[in-house]
Amino acid sequence: MARSTHRGACPLDCPDTCTWQLTVEDGRAVEIRGDADHPFTRGALCGKVNRYLDAVNGPDRLTRPMVRVGPKGAGPIAFRPASWEEAVGRVAAGLTASIERHGPESILPFYFAGTMGDVQGYSMGQRLFAHLGASRLRTTICTAAANAALESLYGGMVGFEPESIVEARLIVLWGANLLSTHLHLWPFVQEARRRGAHVVAIDPLRTDTAGRSDTHIAPLPGTDGALALGLMRHVVDAGAADREWLDAYVDGWPELERRLADWPVERAAAECGLDPAVLRDLGDRIATTRPTAIKVGLGLQRHAGAGQAVRAICALPLVTGDFRYPGGGALCMTSGHFPAPAAPVMRPADLPQPSAREVNMSRLAAVLTGEADPPVTSLVVFDANPASTSPDQTRLRTGLNRADLFTVVLEQRWTDTCDYADVVLPATMQPEHLDLISSYGHHYTTLNLPATTPPGEALPNTEIFRRIAAALGLDHPRLRDSDEDIVRQVLAGGPVTFEELAERTYARTTGVAVGSAPFAKGGFPTPTGRARLHQPALARQGVDPLVGYTPPAQRHGDGLVLIAAAGRFFLNSTFGSLPWHEKKMGPPRIHLHPDDAAARGLADGAAVSVHNANGAFDAAVAVDDAARPGVAFTFKAYWARRSTGGNTVNAVTAVRDADLGGAPTFHDTRIELSPR
C-alpha cells in the first residue's frame, strides 16, 4: 500500500489560511493534521477542518455531470447523469441563447469564497465571462463595507502586523469572535496577556471569545460607530490625543476634533445602550495604555452604518498614535499588504474584455426578480451556494425558479442551489487540484499541490471553464492557460517563485517584517502616505466624507434585533450537510434573553416560527443570557433543504445596502416569534 505525506493549504473563507499535512494511501487522503512548522497557524486546525476529510471522502460527492429532466426545485430526483460532452454542450447552448436574446450582459457569473484560491476561485471563470462581456459581479456579500472604509481611511486593507500583537498592552477585540473565526490569532493574544495585556471584547453577544476576555462590553447592534466616537472624545478630553503624530501623518484631524465636540460620553453611551461609566473605563484604558491593538471583526459591518463604523473604529488608533509602536494600531484584514492578483489573473491585459455593467451580488434576489435590465437569463454559480447564503431567500427562490433562467452550478456536493440548476458540474476539492492562497489574517502565501485522485469524473473549476470556453468557440491563449501558468502569473515579479513554493509550501510574501510597526512614520497606501479622517471622494457616493456615525436602518425597540453569528463547526455553507458538523452544531435555535422569552411566554426548547415581513424560518428557543435584552441570535450556514420548514435565517433578511461598498445588512434585521 503506497503511503505518502503532502503539505497543502486550507482553501476556506477564514483569515487563518492554515497549512496542513495530508497522509495519502493509494490516491486517497486518510489523515489530515496541521503543519506545526507554520509560524502563524503552528500545527492546529479548527474544529471544522479537523474533519475536512469527511467532506473530501464523503459518499455525497458529485462524481458525474447532471442535467435536469424534471421541475426546478425538486432536488436530485429531477436530474440524470450526462457525459461531459453533453453537459458542456448544454452550457454553451444556454449561454449562447442568452447572448442572442438579450446580449452578453444577460449572463451573470456568481461566485465567492467557497475557495479563496487565486487559481480555482478567481481566475479562469472570471476570464471567460469578462471576455464574453457578461455582467461583472460586484463581490459585496462579506467584506465590501470594510474594504471601502479601509480604502477611504488607510488607502487599503492594511493594519498592524498581526504577530506583533504580543507586544500590545491593551487588546480590543471589536466584533471579533476569534475562537470561531480567527482561531490562530488567539494564542498570540494569550501570549500578550501573559506579558500583562488586558483584553477587552466588544460584542453584542457573550461569545466564547468574550467569555474568555478580561472585560466584555455589549453595545446595541449597529452602534459601534457611536461607541468609537465617544471613546475618541474621551481620549481628547483626557489630553491623550497624539497631536504630534496626527499632524505629521493624518489628514482631517481638525475637522474630526470639531465633530467629537458633539459626541460626549453620555451621548455615545445612550446611543449604544450602555452605562456611561463603561465608556469612561475603557476610554481611560485607551488613553493611558501604549500600545493598544484593536482587532476589528467582520460581523459588525453587516448593518446600515457598517462603513462609518469601521472608519470610526479604525480612526481611534490614529488619534492615540498607536501605529507608532509594534503591536499598536488597528487591523481588520491584511489583504492590502499582498500584491493584488486581479490584473494578471482575473483580467489579463492582453485578453479582450468588452465593457459591461456591474451587478451587486448581495442584491441577487432583486436582480433575478426584475431589478436588472437587460434581465439575467443565464446564471453560472461556482464557489457559492446563494440559495442558502443570500438575503431575501423567499424572493430569491422565486427568481431561481424562473422558467426563462438557465442556471449552471459547479459543485462538490448537492446544495440548495443545485436544486434550481439546469446543469450541475462536479468540481474537485482542495487535495485534488493546484491552487495558490494568500491570507487576509496573516502575511504568508501557500501553494497547494494536488495530492489525491478526484472522485469519478470531477474536474477543477479551471478545467471546467476551459472546456466551456472551447465549446463556445473561444480560443484566446489566456483561456487555455494551465493552472501552473496562472500561479506563475500571480507570483511574477514577487519575492518567491513557483519552484520555491513547491519546495517550501508557504512563504512570507509581504514587505512587512514580523514584530514591526509598518506605519510608525506614516507610509499608508494613499497618494500622500497620510491616513485620511476626511475623504472628499466619499461625498460623490452620497456618504459623509468625515469619519462619523450612521445609525441602524431599523431602530431599536421595534421587535427583536436578530444577529446571525458564525458558529464553531460551520463555515458559511461549506459543512452544512455533513453529519458530524450538523451534530456538533445541533438543530437551528433562536437564542433569547430570559426577559424576552418570559415576555413572550416561551420556554427553553419551544418550537417557534421566527418571522418578519420578508419571510420566516423554524427554530427551537434557547433561553440564555448570552445576548442582552432586545437582541436575539442564531447561527448562520444551515442548509434550507436540511432544515425544518425548508428555510434558513436568510428568509428574514432583507435586500438592503449599507452606507459603503454596496454591502448587505444581514444583522440589521428585526424579528418576532410565534409558537408553532
Side-chain angles (χ1 to χ4, degrees):
M1 180 179 294
R3 187 178 177 94
S4 56
T5 300
H6 304 260
R7 296 168 86 183
C10 177
L12 300 178
D13 184 13
C14 168
D16 292 23
T17 313
C18 296
T19 299
W20 62 35
Q21 292 184 350
L22 289 174
T23 301
V24 176
E25 290 182 353
D26 295 331
R28 176 182 170 90
V30 296
E31 182 182 346
I32 188 170
R33 60 190 180 277
D35 183 351
D37 293 334
H38 194 281
F40 190 82
T41 60
R42 300 180 175 184
L45 296 177
C46 68
K48 314 167 186 71
V49 177
N50 269 322
R51 300 291 298 243
Y52 187 68
L53 297 188
D54 290 359
V56 173
N57 298 327
D60 60 339
R61 282 291 300 275
L62 293 172
T63 61
R64 293 189 65 185
M66 305 287 285
V67 297
R68 186 167 61 84
V69 293
K72 287 190 176 184
I77 61 171
F79 288 74
R80 66 164 173 80
S83 67
W84 270 105
E85 182 179 13
E86 179 190 1
V88 170
R90 287 198 179 204
V91 173
L95 299 181
T96 299
S98 285
I99 293 170
E100 290 175 347
R101 288 196 304 268
H102 298 288
E105 289 182 323
S106 64
I107 299 171
L108 178 64
F110 190 97
Y111 54 90
F112 199 58
T115 171
M116 297 294 288
D118 292 330
V119 181
Q120 303 304 331
Y122 302 102
S123 67
M124 196 58 68
Q126 290 81 351
R127 291 183 184 190
L128 168 61
F129 294 111
H131 189 49
L132 281 174
S135 293
R136 293 185 179 174
L137 190 71
R138 191 177 176 195
T139 51
T140 60
I141 205 161
C142 185
T143 63
N147 292 354
L150 294 167
E151 173 66 31
S152 74
L153 190 69
Y154 297 159
M157 291 172 281
V158 297
F160 66 76
E161 195 281 314
E163 294 173 62
S164 72
I165 201 170
V166 297
E167 305 292 341
R169 290 299 170 262
L170 174 64
I171 297 174
V172 181
L173 303 175
W174 204 315
N177 183 10
L178 301 187
L179 291 171
S180 286
T181 63
H182 199 356
L183 177 65
H184 297 88
L185 187 62
W186 184 247
F188 292 90
V189 172
Q190 291 294 82
E191 174 59 25
R193 208 178 203 172
R194 284 189 287 271
R195 299 183 188 187
H198 186 90
V199 179
V200 178
I202 299 177
D203 200 302
L205 309 180
R206 191 181 66 248
T207 63
D208 292 342
T209 303
R212 299 189 196 185
S213 298
D214 299 305
T215 300
H216 174 214
I217 297 172
L220 289 167
T223 64
D224 304 271
L227 178 54
L229 292 172
L231 291 171
M232 281 189 274
R233 168 65 184 273
H234 189 82
V235 167
V236 171
D237 289 348
D242 190 335
R243 297 181 183 277
E244 178 186 33
W245 195 86
L246 283 162
D247 288 345
Y249 305 120
V250 180
D251 291 330
W253 169 238
E255 295 95 322
L256 179 56
E257 186 171 21
R258 287 193 292 271
R259 171 161 286 176
L260 294 178
D262 296 329
W263 281 95
V265 164
E266 292 76 13
R267 178 188 175 188
E271 184 70 19
C272 299
L274 296 171
D275 187 324
V278 172
L279 269 73
R280 292 192 186 98
D281 179 69
L282 179 56
D284 286 342
R285 289 186 183 276
I286 293 172
T288 58
T289 309
R290 306 276 77 75
T292 288
I294 301 176
K295 178 64 181 78
V296 183
L298 295 174
L300 64 84
Q301 53 136 16
R302 317 244 190 265
H303 299 90
Q308 281 286 38
V310 175
R311 292 180 77 206
I313 294 165
C314 293
L316 183 50
L318 298 176
V319 175
T320 57
D322 272 293
F323 279 107
R324 287 182 184 266
Y325 315 101
L331 175 65
C332 184
M333 292 172 282
T334 59
S335 312
H337 291 284
F338 290 91
V345 175
M346 294 177 70
R347 292 182 289 277
D350 61 341
L351 178 68
Q353 300 168 56
S355 61
R357 68 180 175 187
E358 274 195 336
V359 171
N360 183 342
M361 70 182 305
S362 298
R363 304 190 64 83
L364 183 62
V367 166
L368 294 183
T369 55
E371 186 173 275
D373 183 18
V376 170
T377 57
S378 282
L379 179 70
V380 182
V381 179
F382 57 104
D383 299 331
N385 182 16
S388 284
T389 60
S390 292
D392 207 349
Q393 190 170 79
T394 302
R395 183 160 51 140
L396 176 60
R397 284 181 183 156
T398 298
L400 290 171
N401 259 322
R402 279 173 31 208
D404 69 329
L405 179 67
F406 177 72
T407 300
V408 182
V409 178
L410 284 63
E411 255 304 348
Q412 299 158 349
R413 53 191 15 87
W414 200 276
T415 65
D416 292 342
T417 307
C418 291
D419 286 350
Y420 301 93
D422 294 279
V423 180
V424 177
L425 302 174
T428 50
M429 293 188 70
Q430 188 75 344
E432 302 152 6
H433 56 227
L434 179 67
D435 216 337
L436 182 75
I437 304 171
S438 296
S439 170
Y440 61 93
H442 58 66
H443 289 263
Y444 302 88
T445 294
T446 307
L447 180 68
N448 183 86
L449 296 173
T452 63
T453 304
E457 300 176 25
L459 294 173
N461 285 351
T462 45
E463 176 58 21
I464 294 173
F465 286 121
R466 281 189 282 263
R467 293 189 181 193
I468 293 171
L472 288 167
L474 304 175
D475 61 357
H476 193 280
R478 293 289 76 76
L479 300 178
R480 298 196 303 269
D481 282 338
S482 70
D483 291 1
E484 184 176 325
D485 290 335
I486 295 168
V487 173
R488 291 183 182 278
Q489 289 161 16
V490 177
L491 297 176
V496 64
T497 66
F498 179 90
E499 287 75 18
E500 289 170 330
L501 277 182
E503 175 69 24
R504 295 156 47 189
T505 306
Y506 62 85
R508 195 172 180 91
T509 51
T510 76
V512 179
V514 174
S516 65
F519 305 111
K521 296 183 178 180
F524 293 95
T526 62
T528 64
R530 296 166 64 87
R532 302 175 294 206
L533 298 169
H534 184 274
Q535 167 55 302
L538 292 180
R540 295 192 290 272
Q541 304 173 35
V543 178
D544 188 340
L546 182 62
V547 166
Y549 171 59
T550 302
Q554 296 184 294
R555 300 296 288 178
H556 297 283
D558 182 17
L560 294 168
V561 183
L562 179 65
I563 294 175
R568 289 285 293 273
F569 299 100
F570 283 167
L571 200 166
N572 301 331
S573 72
T574 297
F575 299 106
S577 67
L578 300 179
W580 183 89
H581 294 78
E582 284 187 302
K583 183 178 179 180
K584 295 294 287 186
M585 287 296 298
R589 297 182 178 90
I590 183 76
H591 294 252
L592 302 179
H593 188 275
D595 292 352
D596 293 320
R600 291 161 176 79
L602 296 172
D604 192 76
V608 294
S609 172
V610 183
H611 57 85
N612 60 18
N614 295 306
F617 69 98
D618 293 341
V621 169
V623 179
D624 64 40
D625 61 357
R628 54 181 293 157
V631 177
F633 72 95
T634 187
F635 292 104
K636 64 180 181 177
Y638 287 92
W639 286 19
R641 65 199 322 270
R642 301 177 73 89
S643 299
T644 303
N647 288 336
T648 75
V649 64
N650 280 321
V652 300
T653 57
V655 173
R656 184 195 304 117
D657 294 350
D659 55 352
L660 277 178
T665 57
F666 289 109
H667 298 168
D668 211 333
T669 298
R670 304 295 179 270
I671 50 97
E672 265 304 341
L673 300 93
S674 300
R676 60 176 176 85

